[in-house]
Amino acid sequence: MHVRCWLQAALIVRLLATDLTAATTELTIIPASPSAAALRIGATDLDRLGADLERAGLTLPPRIVVTLIEEADPRARGVPEWIVGLALEPDEIVIFPGRILSYPYDSIESVFRHELAHLALSARAGGQPMPRWFHEGLAVSVDAGWGVTGRLRLLLEMTGSPGTADLARLFDSDTQAASALAYGLSTALVADVQRRHGRGALGAIAARMADGVPFARAFQLETDVTPDEAASRAWAGYRHWTMWVSVATSEAAVWGFILAIALVAFIARARRRARRRQQWDDAEAVDGQWD
């Protein structure tokens, strides 16, 4: 009897907690028509997304308004075509569903998670300005993390040892290639900071900013290095591999690779001919015995 009462009480507590969690975040999608994009965003697991944000030291906003804009809409004309989503403080996200499938996004859910991370980071910092590389790197880490594909892309595209000012210039460029490189560098830098200081370090930096501490100082207080020192430290491993990638993709290396393939093919063909000749000789020897 006591066990059953305890189980019932535990179930009631869980249900109340679930209702409270669901009520803390109000998701509104505009337009409200049941389009495929609206349905997919509406099906997002906000509890899981809230847990991902929490690991980064952030919290899910209490209200989220998602506005979907198609390419035929006049509001889309003044926005560069490689921009697929925008986070408008304090609680609005704009998504262009027709532009998805460009790096660093792979689905409309990915864009939603990415832009929501921007809103959460801005809220954590109390609306204080911070570098775009910090914003974008954190948003990618919450959305998809730093995987093998991103690392390979960065190895192929990275040259030199860019500082944080170089990242700002890449983001300000009008080309999609520069923007993609800026995303890759920012994600690698943020991933290195998280690896060294924990995933919650980024939220802690933003919290210091909400208390009035400038970004560079808040960053140094949490990591013991300046942003440029952190960038140099993050690129160290990539510079080593970039050198080998450059050597491997040089014109001489390409021709050497082609010659090596030709040599292997020649040797294989010669061996096949030798085996065939031996088979013929063996066959002739057998025929001679029957004669």
Side-chain angles (χ1 to χ4, degrees):
M1 182 67 178
H2 291 293
V3 174
R4 190 168 71 177
C5 291
W6 182 86
L7 289 174
Q8 290 176 343
L11 179 60
I12 292 173
V13 169
R14 177 166 182 158
L15 289 173
L16 289 175
T18 302
D19 291 341
L20 180 60
T21 301
T24 54
T25 300
E26 176 188 348
L27 176 60
T28 302
I29 302 174
I30 302 172
S33 58
S35 64
L39 291 174
R40 289 173 64 178
I41 292 175
T44 300
D45 187 344
L46 293 180
D47 289 335
R48 179 179 176 182
L49 181 50
D52 292 339
L53 289 171
E54 187 175 353
R55 281 190 288 272
L58 307 175
T59 56
L60 200 64
R63 181 173 183 267
I64 309 167
V65 178
V66 180
T67 301
L68 302 175
I69 298 179
E70 299 298 336
E71 288 303 288
D73 194 305
R75 293 173 294 178
R77 295 173 185 170
V79 182
E81 61 182 9
W82 63 82
I83 294 180
V84 299
L86 296 168
L88 307 178
E89 299 178 26
D91 55 17
E92 184 177 1
I93 293 173
V94 176
I95 297 178
F96 303 90
R99 301 180 179 184
I100 298 173
L101 296 180
S102 62
Y103 181 79
Y105 313 106
D106 60 3
S107 67
I108 194 165
E109 292 89 347
S110 175
V111 179
F112 175 61
R113 290 169 57 89
H114 186 102
E115 301 304 332
L116 185 54
H118 282 308
L119 291 181
L121 179 58
S122 294
R124 183 64 169 160
Q128 297 300 315
M130 62 189 73
R132 187 174 175 185
W133 67 261
F134 189 79
H135 249 294
E136 299 296 352
L138 181 141
V140 173
S141 74
V142 170
D143 166 34
W146 185 225
V148 175
T149 301
R151 290 187 176 93
L152 290 176
R153 179 189 293 270
L154 187 56
L155 281 175
L156 294 174
E157 296 176 346
M158 181 179 175
T159 57
S161 182
T164 54
D166 298 311
L167 295 183
R169 283 191 289 270
L170 285 171
F171 275 120
D172 289 339
S173 172
D174 293 330
T175 66
Q176 186 174 6
S179 178
L181 178 57
Y183 272 102
L185 289 168
S186 301
T187 305
L189 175 50
V190 165
D192 190 73
V193 171
Q194 290 179 318
R195 181 177 64 83
R196 295 175 186 273
H197 306 283
R199 292 196 63 181
L202 305 182
I205 292 171
R208 287 183 181 273
M209 295 182 64
D211 292 334
V213 180
F215 172 78
R217 180 58 179 160
F219 188 95
Q220 190 168 14
L221 287 172
E222 287 296 326
T223 64
D224 295 324
V225 295
T226 66
D228 281 324
E229 289 171 342
S232 179
R233 191 167 58 181
W235 311 150
Y238 288 94
R239 282 197 299 271
H240 173 75
W241 286 105
T242 300
M243 177 187 69
W244 288 106
V245 170
S246 299
V247 171
T249 55
S250 65
E251 184 176 356
V254 171
W255 279 109
F257 182 66
I258 293 173
L259 290 174
I261 292 177
L263 179 61
V264 170
F266 173 78
I267 294 173
R269 188 163 53 250
R271 288 180 175 177
R272 284 197 301 271
R273 288 178 178 175
R275 285 195 299 270
R276 191 178 301 116
R277 189 177 298 110
Q278 184 63 46
Q279 291 172 353
W280 290 340
D281 292 341
D282 294 341
E284 289 176 358
V286 172
D287 291 340
Q289 291 177 357
W290 282 105
D291 291 342

